[in-house]
Amino acid sequence: MGQARRAAHAFTGGALALVVAGVVALVTHQPWLFPSLGPAVMLHVEKPRSPQSSPRNTFIGHGVALLAGYGFLLACGLTDEPSALQEGISGPRIVAAAGSLAVTLLVLVLLKASHPPAGATTLIVSLGLLRTSTQLLVAAAAVVLVTAVDWLYGRVSGRPMPLWAAPEQSTEGERDGGPDRPTVR
């Protein structure tokens, strides 16, 4: 696929996923659009065969991030406090942010489910931007929605994501076929 076609593919896939989530947000008046969806969608449309882009890693990554972020909100007594954007940074907020990111990283490494946008999701929660049970459920549903849209778009456009998990890649990249290809041994 040439550079212009790849760019058009990424443009269309990214816009489509966020328009669908945005329409659902508009109709439901719920946060179906939040910052870490952008990088997740970018991975899906730019590198659909990468393990980090797979539905498995996307769902596990954001699920762990939502749980860790909320767990640290609870542990630090911040569930009823205004967000860090409103209140500013405090000691408990730093603990919540650092702790939730560290736990998210730990669990994702142990599960071999790397998905970097999950790092943003856990901070969105631990900083109090999304903190109610409804908001967290909507965020999880939004991840499922954009992943499904991207998966369908990939199938229709000829750049499919795997159904669930992608083959693991070598960290040696180019030698083994490049960043979008499974390891060849």
PDB file of all heavy atoms in Angstrom, residues 67-79 92 95-104 122 126:
ATOM      1  N   LEU A  67      -9.705  -0.191  35.973  1.00  0.00           N
ATOM      2  CA  LEU A  67      -9.735  -0.759  37.326  1.00  0.00           C
ATOM      3  C   LEU A  67      -8.624  -0.184  38.206  1.00  0.00           C
ATOM      4  O   LEU A  67      -8.865   0.160  39.368  1.00  0.00           O
ATOM      5  CB  LEU A  67      -9.633  -2.278  37.261  1.00  0.00           C
ATOM      6  CG  LEU A  67     -10.847  -2.992  36.662  1.00  0.00           C
ATOM      7  CD1 LEU A  67     -10.545  -4.480  36.456  1.00  0.00           C
ATOM      8  CD2 LEU A  67     -12.074  -2.798  37.531  1.00  0.00           C
ATOM      9  N   ALA A  68      -7.419  -0.089  37.679  1.00  0.00           N
ATOM     10  CA  ALA A  68      -6.307   0.446  38.473  1.00  0.00           C
ATOM     11  C   ALA A  68      -6.539   1.917  38.813  1.00  0.00           C
ATOM     12  O   ALA A  68      -6.321   2.343  39.959  1.00  0.00           O
ATOM     13  CB  ALA A  68      -4.988   0.283  37.721  1.00  0.00           C
ATOM     14  N   GLY A  69      -6.983   2.684  37.839  1.00  0.00           N
ATOM     15  CA  GLY A  69      -7.255   4.103  38.089  1.00  0.00           C
ATOM     16  C   GLY A  69      -8.298   4.281  39.171  1.00  0.00           C
ATOM     17  O   GLY A  69      -8.126   5.071  40.108  1.00  0.00           O
ATOM     18  N   TYR A  70      -9.389   3.525  39.072  1.00  0.00           N
ATOM     19  CA  TYR A  70     -10.450   3.658  40.076  1.00  0.00           C
ATOM     20  C   TYR A  70     -10.003   3.098  41.428  1.00  0.00           C
ATOM     21  O   TYR A  70     -10.316   3.670  42.473  1.00  0.00           O
ATOM     22  CB  TYR A  70     -11.743   2.984  39.617  1.00  0.00           C
ATOM     23  CG  TYR A  70     -12.884   3.365  40.518  1.00  0.00           C
ATOM     24  CD1 TYR A  70     -13.408   4.651  40.480  1.00  0.00           C
ATOM     25  CD2 TYR A  70     -13.401   2.462  41.438  1.00  0.00           C
ATOM     26  CE1 TYR A  70     -14.442   5.024  41.326  1.00  0.00           C
ATOM     27  CE2 TYR A  70     -14.429   2.826  42.284  1.00  0.00           C
ATOM     28  CZ  TYR A  70     -14.950   4.102  42.233  1.00  0.00           C
ATOM     29  OH  TYR A  70     -15.960   4.480  43.077  1.00  0.00           O
ATOM     30  N   GLY A  71      -9.263   2.004  41.421  1.00  0.00           N
ATOM     31  CA  GLY A  71      -8.751   1.447  42.673  1.00  0.00           C
ATOM     32  C   GLY A  71      -7.902   2.455  43.437  1.00  0.00           C
ATOM     33  O   GLY A  71      -8.019   2.587  44.660  1.00  0.00           O
ATOM     34  N   PHE A  72      -7.082   3.193  42.700  1.00  0.00           N
ATOM     35  CA  PHE A  72      -6.252   4.200  43.368  1.00  0.00           C
ATOM     36  C   PHE A  72      -7.045   5.444  43.761  1.00  0.00           C
ATOM     37  O   PHE A  72      -6.718   6.088  44.753  1.00  0.00           O
ATOM     38  CB  PHE A  72      -5.011   4.537  42.531  1.00  0.00           C
ATOM     39  CG  PHE A  72      -3.882   3.596  42.815  1.00  0.00           C
ATOM     40  CD1 PHE A  72      -3.758   2.420  42.107  1.00  0.00           C
ATOM     41  CD2 PHE A  72      -2.968   3.860  43.825  1.00  0.00           C
ATOM     42  CE1 PHE A  72      -2.742   1.521  42.385  1.00  0.00           C
ATOM     43  CE2 PHE A  72      -1.948   2.972  44.122  1.00  0.00           C
ATOM     44  CZ  PHE A  72      -1.836   1.796  43.402  1.00  0.00           C
ATOM     45  N   LEU A  73      -8.104   5.767  43.025  1.00  0.00           N
ATOM     46  CA  LEU A  73      -8.999   6.845  43.481  1.00  0.00           C
ATOM     47  C   LEU A  73      -9.598   6.466  44.831  1.00  0.00           C
ATOM     48  O   LEU A  73      -9.646   7.288  45.749  1.00  0.00           O
ATOM     49  CB  LEU A  73     -10.138   7.074  42.481  1.00  0.00           C
ATOM     50  CG  LEU A  73      -9.913   7.974  41.293  1.00  0.00           C
ATOM     51  CD1 LEU A  73     -11.207   8.100  40.485  1.00  0.00           C
ATOM     52  CD2 LEU A  73      -9.429   9.340  41.700  1.00  0.00           C
ATOM     53  N   LEU A  74     -10.074   5.225  44.929  1.00  0.00           N
ATOM     54  CA  LEU A  74     -10.650   4.739  46.191  1.00  0.00           C
ATOM     55  C   LEU A  74      -9.604   4.734  47.306  1.00  0.00           C
ATOM     56  O   LEU A  74      -9.844   5.252  48.399  1.00  0.00           O
ATOM     57  CB  LEU A  74     -11.191   3.317  46.013  1.00  0.00           C
ATOM     58  CG  LEU A  74     -12.537   3.151  45.350  1.00  0.00           C
ATOM     59  CD1 LEU A  74     -12.817   1.670  45.093  1.00  0.00           C
ATOM     60  CD2 LEU A  74     -13.634   3.758  46.196  1.00  0.00           C
ATOM     61  N   ALA A  75      -8.454   4.131  47.030  1.00  0.00           N
ATOM     62  CA  ALA A  75      -7.410   3.984  48.054  1.00  0.00           C
ATOM     63  C   ALA A  75      -6.922   5.334  48.573  1.00  0.00           C
ATOM     64  O   ALA A  75      -6.564   5.455  49.747  1.00  0.00           O
ATOM     65  CB  ALA A  75      -6.242   3.180  47.502  1.00  0.00           C
ATOM     66  N   CYS A  76      -6.929   6.330  47.716  1.00  0.00           N
ATOM     67  CA  CYS A  76      -6.433   7.661  48.108  1.00  0.00           C
ATOM     68  C   CYS A  76      -7.552   8.592  48.567  1.00  0.00           C
ATOM     69  O   CYS A  76      -7.305   9.768  48.841  1.00  0.00           O
ATOM     70  CB  CYS A  76      -5.659   8.286  46.949  1.00  0.00           C
ATOM     71  SG  CYS A  76      -4.138   7.394  46.559  1.00  0.00           S
ATOM     72  N   GLY A  77      -8.774   8.089  48.635  1.00  0.00           N
ATOM     73  CA  GLY A  77      -9.893   8.900  49.113  1.00  0.00           C
ATOM     74  C   GLY A  77     -10.283  10.030  48.180  1.00  0.00           C
ATOM     75  O   GLY A  77     -10.709  11.097  48.637  1.00  0.00           O
ATOM     76  N   LEU A  78     -10.169   9.819  46.884  1.00  0.00           N
ATOM     77  CA  LEU A  78     -10.399  10.889  45.920  1.00  0.00           C
ATOM     78  C   LEU A  78     -11.674  10.733  45.090  1.00  0.00           C
ATOM     79  O   LEU A  78     -11.926  11.541  44.197  1.00  0.00           O
ATOM     80  CB  LEU A  78      -9.197  10.989  44.968  1.00  0.00           C
ATOM     81  CG  LEU A  78      -7.868  11.350  45.622  1.00  0.00           C
ATOM     82  CD1 LEU A  78      -6.713  11.124  44.648  1.00  0.00           C
ATOM     83  CD2 LEU A  78      -7.893  12.788  46.115  1.00  0.00           C
ATOM     84  N   THR A  79     -12.494   9.742  45.380  1.00  0.00           N
ATOM     85  CA  THR A  79     -13.652   9.485  44.516  1.00  0.00           C
ATOM     86  C   THR A  79     -14.665  10.623  44.523  1.00  0.00           C
ATOM     87  O   THR A  79     -15.373  10.815  43.540  1.00  0.00           O
ATOM     88  CB  THR A  79     -14.359   8.169  44.899  1.00  0.00           C
ATOM     89  OG1 THR A  79     -14.697   8.222  46.283  1.00  0.00           O
ATOM     90  CG2 THR A  79     -13.489   6.973  44.603  1.00  0.00           C
ATOM     91  N   PRO A  92      -2.001  13.068  47.542  1.00  0.00           N
ATOM     92  CA  PRO A  92      -2.797  11.879  47.223  1.00  0.00           C
ATOM     93  C   PRO A  92      -3.039  11.705  45.713  1.00  0.00           C
ATOM     94  O   PRO A  92      -3.073  10.577  45.218  1.00  0.00           O
ATOM     95  CB  PRO A  92      -4.119  12.116  47.960  1.00  0.00           C
ATOM     96  CG  PRO A  92      -3.743  13.015  49.102  1.00  0.00           C
ATOM     97  CD  PRO A  92      -2.659  13.899  48.555  1.00  0.00           C
ATOM     98  N   VAL A  95       0.057  10.120  44.258  1.00  0.00           N
ATOM     99  CA  VAL A  95       0.080   8.700  44.594  1.00  0.00           C
ATOM    100  C   VAL A  95      -0.895   7.937  43.701  1.00  0.00           C
ATOM    101  O   VAL A  95      -0.566   6.869  43.171  1.00  0.00           O
ATOM    102  CB  VAL A  95      -0.242   8.477  46.091  1.00  0.00           C
ATOM    103  CG1 VAL A  95      -0.472   7.000  46.401  1.00  0.00           C
ATOM    104  CG2 VAL A  95       0.863   9.049  46.964  1.00  0.00           C
ATOM    105  N   ALA A  96      -2.098   8.489  43.510  1.00  0.00           N
ATOM    106  CA  ALA A  96      -3.099   7.824  42.670  1.00  0.00           C
ATOM    107  C   ALA A  96      -2.607   7.695  41.232  1.00  0.00           C
ATOM    108  O   ALA A  96      -2.736   6.632  40.612  1.00  0.00           O
ATOM    109  CB  ALA A  96      -4.424   8.583  42.718  1.00  0.00           C
ATOM    110  N   ALA A  97      -2.049   8.771  40.699  1.00  0.00           N
ATOM    111  CA  ALA A  97      -1.579   8.750  39.302  1.00  0.00           C
ATOM    112  C   ALA A  97      -0.400   7.793  39.137  1.00  0.00           C
ATOM    113  O   ALA A  97      -0.410   6.926  38.249  1.00  0.00           O
ATOM    114  CB  ALA A  97      -1.189  10.163  38.856  1.00  0.00           C
ATOM    115  N   ALA A  98       0.616   7.939  39.983  1.00  0.00           N
ATOM    116  CA  ALA A  98       1.798   7.085  39.866  1.00  0.00           C
ATOM    117  C   ALA A  98       1.457   5.625  40.157  1.00  0.00           C
ATOM    118  O   ALA A  98       1.907   4.717  39.439  1.00  0.00           O
ATOM    119  CB  ALA A  98       2.895   7.570  40.815  1.00  0.00           C
ATOM    120  N   GLY A  99       0.660   5.399  41.181  1.00  0.00           N
ATOM    121  CA  GLY A  99       0.294   4.030  41.541  1.00  0.00           C
ATOM    122  C   GLY A  99      -0.529   3.350  40.466  1.00  0.00           C
ATOM    123  O   GLY A  99      -0.279   2.187  40.113  1.00  0.00           O
ATOM    124  N   SER A 100      -1.496   4.070  39.905  1.00  0.00           N
ATOM    125  CA  SER A 100      -2.344   3.446  38.882  1.00  0.00           C
ATOM    126  C   SER A 100      -1.552   3.145  37.611  1.00  0.00           C
ATOM    127  O   SER A 100      -1.751   2.099  36.991  1.00  0.00           O
ATOM    128  CB  SER A 100      -3.567   4.318  38.575  1.00  0.00           C
ATOM    129  OG  SER A 100      -3.210   5.520  37.931  1.00  0.00           O
ATOM    130  N   LEU A 101      -0.659   4.036  37.237  1.00  0.00           N
ATOM    131  CA  LEU A 101       0.158   3.774  36.050  1.00  0.00           C
ATOM    132  C   LEU A 101       1.106   2.597  36.303  1.00  0.00           C
ATOM    133  O   LEU A 101       1.240   1.710  35.454  1.00  0.00           O
ATOM    134  CB  LEU A 101       0.948   5.013  35.632  1.00  0.00           C
ATOM    135  CG  LEU A 101       1.781   4.822  34.362  1.00  0.00           C
ATOM    136  CD1 LEU A 101       0.891   4.556  33.151  1.00  0.00           C
ATOM    137  CD2 LEU A 101       2.660   6.025  34.116  1.00  0.00           C
ATOM    138  N   ALA A 102       1.720   2.567  37.477  1.00  0.00           N
ATOM    139  CA  ALA A 102       2.651   1.481  37.795  1.00  0.00           C
ATOM    140  C   ALA A 102       1.927   0.128  37.811  1.00  0.00           C
ATOM    141  O   ALA A 102       2.430  -0.857  37.253  1.00  0.00           O
ATOM    142  CB  ALA A 102       3.324   1.745  39.146  1.00  0.00           C
ATOM    143  N   VAL A 103       0.752   0.074  38.410  1.00  0.00           N
ATOM    144  CA  VAL A 103      -0.006  -1.187  38.455  1.00  0.00           C
ATOM    145  C   VAL A 103      -0.462  -1.573  37.051  1.00  0.00           C
ATOM    146  O   VAL A 103      -0.393  -2.756  36.671  1.00  0.00           O
ATOM    147  CB  VAL A 103      -1.199  -1.078  39.433  1.00  0.00           C
ATOM    148  CG1 VAL A 103      -2.186  -2.226  39.248  1.00  0.00           C
ATOM    149  CG2 VAL A 103      -0.692  -1.045  40.872  1.00  0.00           C
ATOM    150  N   THR A 104      -0.911  -0.608  36.271  1.00  0.00           N
ATOM    151  CA  THR A 104      -1.322  -0.901  34.895  1.00  0.00           C
ATOM    152  C   THR A 104      -0.154  -1.495  34.121  1.00  0.00           C
ATOM    153  O   THR A 104      -0.305  -2.528  33.453  1.00  0.00           O
ATOM    154  CB  THR A 104      -1.865   0.364  34.199  1.00  0.00           C
ATOM    155  OG1 THR A 104      -3.012   0.825  34.920  1.00  0.00           O
ATOM    156  CG2 THR A 104      -2.235   0.099  32.754  1.00  0.00           C
ATOM    157  N   THR A 122      -5.616   5.152  32.457  1.00  0.00           N
ATOM    158  CA  THR A 122      -5.481   5.065  33.907  1.00  0.00           C
ATOM    159  C   THR A 122      -5.250   6.442  34.522  1.00  0.00           C
ATOM    160  O   THR A 122      -5.746   6.732  35.615  1.00  0.00           O
ATOM    161  CB  THR A 122      -4.401   4.036  34.318  1.00  0.00           C
ATOM    162  OG1 THR A 122      -4.667   3.606  35.644  1.00  0.00           O
ATOM    163  CG2 THR A 122      -2.994   4.554  34.184  1.00  0.00           C
ATOM    164  N   SER A 126      -7.452   8.205  37.370  1.00  0.00           N
ATOM    165  CA  SER A 126      -6.816   8.551  38.650  1.00  0.00           C
ATOM    166  C   SER A 126      -6.706  10.060  38.866  1.00  0.00           C
ATOM    167  O   SER A 126      -6.618  10.518  40.003  1.00  0.00           O
ATOM    168  CB  SER A 126      -5.438   7.890  38.780  1.00  0.00           C
ATOM    169  OG  SER A 126      -4.551   8.355  37.792  1.00  0.00           O
TER     170      SER A 126
END
